[in-house]
Amino acid sequence: MDGTLQYNQQRQELVYTYRYRNQYIVANDSLQLQRLGKTIDTISQAQIQVGTIASKNQQK
């Protein structure tokens, strides 16, 4: 899973934010889960369309 891991020294918490989900995880400095949350992104699933290029026999 792609994402970013940040440490809040003042609160002594780790925050992992998923890159392709609208979700984050907060854990204490002992790596115990504190809470799960959702970001403000309203898309829960990627909105993609697959197209075919017949002349090249490819899908993109």
Side-chain angles (χ1 to χ4, degrees), residues 27-46:
N28 63 16
D29 55 356
S30 298
L31 299 179
Q32 294 175 328
L33 180 65
Q34 298 297 303
R35 62 188 173 277
L36 297 171
K38 294 193 180 238
T39 63
I40 60 172
D41 186 1
T42 59
I43 297 175
S44 61
Q45 288 187 334

Side-chain angles (χ1 to χ4, degrees), residues 11-26:
R11 297 181 66 155
Q12 297 183 337
E13 290 180 331
L14 289 165
V15 179
Y16 184 80
T17 306
Y18 288 97
R19 185 163 298 184
Y20 302 110
R21 291 192 217 173
N22 62 339
Q23 190 177 45
Y24 63 90
I25 297 172
V26 179

